[in-house]
Amino acid sequence: MTIFAIANQKGGVGKTTTAVSLAGLAAERGGRQLLVDLDPQGSLTSYLRCDPERSEGGAYGQFCAAAEGKPADVAGAIVSTAAGLDLLPAHPALATLERRFGTRPGMGRVLAGLLAAVRDDYAHVWIDCPPTLGLLMINALAVCEQLVIPVQTEFLALKGLERMLASLAMVERSRGAPVPHRIVPTLFDRRTRASLDALDALHFQHRSRMTAEPIPVDTRFRAASEAGVPLSQLEPASRGAYGYRCLLADLLGEPSPPAPVRAEEALPA
Ligand code: ADP
Ligand code: MG
């Protein structure tokens, strides 16, 4: 089992989309995939047609049990979704964990303990983080083997990246080891100066950490979220699905797959 965390302290940069897309594509290759929703907003949970308000026993209940020294039952708290992906759902009360348990010793390793119980059940785990540095994100950064940092290709998002990297450096000091991480430019629109400039700036500052292909803006992501499935299930040959195919290959240490020939591009001009 390999554990990936998807994190950035900025909202709306494509974290949840990245988590669903990567899990969907990894599932196509075979092997069970577990998505963990640590965002109290529960976007990933809602995306997969699960109601966060009714998911008290999910990530929230498991954290509480572990924090209070009661037996946790992660396997029992995981739901299988219509998209074929397993989910440990979020509940809004996740936002209260910090206040209730934030100062207890060992709280940064709760998720590590929970995931150890399902280690043999999954090929990959994808943790969708909240956009704040707190107990939940710390748990994800402490347990992940690879961190994926989606960064929207616009000027303000680059500032957010610096903040995220500073938080990562802090966690690395307490882990006593570096956390391998990849910076993924998202919502890239090659027709706009802002996107091109932001991509240039990212390459200039973080070349060795960058993935080869930015994730393009693709309106079909919205249709996929409305359908409650990863884009690759809805539109396998879409630009967006290809972007995430390249990202998954990158994370697994493989070369980028060949680009699909899309019908509209194959037509004579
Ligand atoms: P985050 O989890 O970082 O808050 P989301 O993944 O929820 O971000 O994405 C924010 C919004 O942008 C969603 O409506 C999502 O459908 C849309 N979105 C994400 N990535 C893309 C993309 N590559 N192209 C078009 N829309 C996207
Ligand atoms: Mg999100």
Side-chain angles (χ1 to χ4, degrees):
M1 179 168 101
T2 310
I3 304 175
F4 296 86
I6 296 100
N8 190 332
Q9 275 147 273
K10 199 167 179 322
V13 297
K15 291 184 293 296
T16 298
T17 304
T18 299
V20 174
S21 301
L22 290 173
L25 287 165
E28 284 177 12
R29 294 164 167 240
R32 290 177 70 197
Q33 309 296 319
L34 173 63
L35 281 155
V36 177
D37 191 356
L38 289 189
D39 188 347
Q41 302 236 353
S43 311
L44 173 62
T45 302
S46 302
Y47 188 123
L48 293 171
R49 296 294 174 275
C50 231
D51 183 359
E53 299 285 343
R54 297 172 63 180
S55 301
E56 210 161 350
Y60 173 67
Q62 299 308 306
F63 257 87
C64 289
E68 290 165 343
K70 295 181 187 151
D73 174 21
V74 192
I78 291 171
V79 291
S80 27
T81 70
L85 305 166
D86 281 6
L87 171 71
L88 183 62
H91 184 271
L94 276 173
T96 66
L97 286 177
E98 187 93 47
R99 180 166 41 79
R100 292 181 58 195
F101 304 114
T103 54
R104 283 198 198 183
M107 280 308 289
R109 300 284 307 166
V110 168
L111 186 60
L114 294 174
L115 291 179
V118 291
R119 181 182 301 137
D120 299 332
D121 299 342
Y122 293 98
H124 304 105
V125 179
W126 310 92
I127 308 168
D128 189 19
C129 291
T132 42
L133 177 71
L135 182 64
L136 294 161
M137 196 196 285
I138 299 269
N139 265 271
L141 296 185
V143 70
C144 73
E145 285 143 275
Q146 272 214 65
L147 170 64
V148 178
I149 309 176
V151 182
Q152 187 175 347
T153 40
E154 54 138 53
F155 178 70
L156 285 178
L158 303 189
K159 295 270 162 223
L161 173 62
E162 299 310 320
R163 228 175 25 249
M164 182 65 222
L165 292 175
S167 304
L168 177 63
M170 194 190 75
V171 171
E172 286 178 326
R173 278 195 294 277
S174 82
R175 261 174 74 142
V179 177
H181 57 279
R182 303 296 279 156
I183 294 168
V184 183
T186 57
L187 290 145
F188 178 69
D189 184 349
R190 63 178 69 252
R191 295 163 307 183
T192 69
R193 189 79 254 161
S195 262
L196 293 167
D197 286 351
L199 190 64
D200 275 353
L202 282 170
H203 274 296
F204 183 70
Q205 290 169 32
H206 304 285
R207 181 169 296 281
S208 65
R209 296 291 183 190
M210 296 277 293
T211 52
E213 290 285 328
I215 306 295
V217 167
D218 189 333
T219 53
R220 284 162 287 201
F221 279 110
R222 185 181 308 150
S225 70
E226 281 163 11
V229 297
L231 179 55
S232 56
Q233 279 183 29
L234 197 69
E235 299 258 11
S238 60
R239 228 190 299 274
Y242 174 68
Y244 280 110
R245 263 195 193 93
C246 293
L247 174 56
L248 182 63
D250 179 293
L251 295 175
L252 301 178
E254 301 167 359
S256 288
V261 178
R262 292 196 311 277
E264 69 261 32
E265 286 175 2
L267 292 172

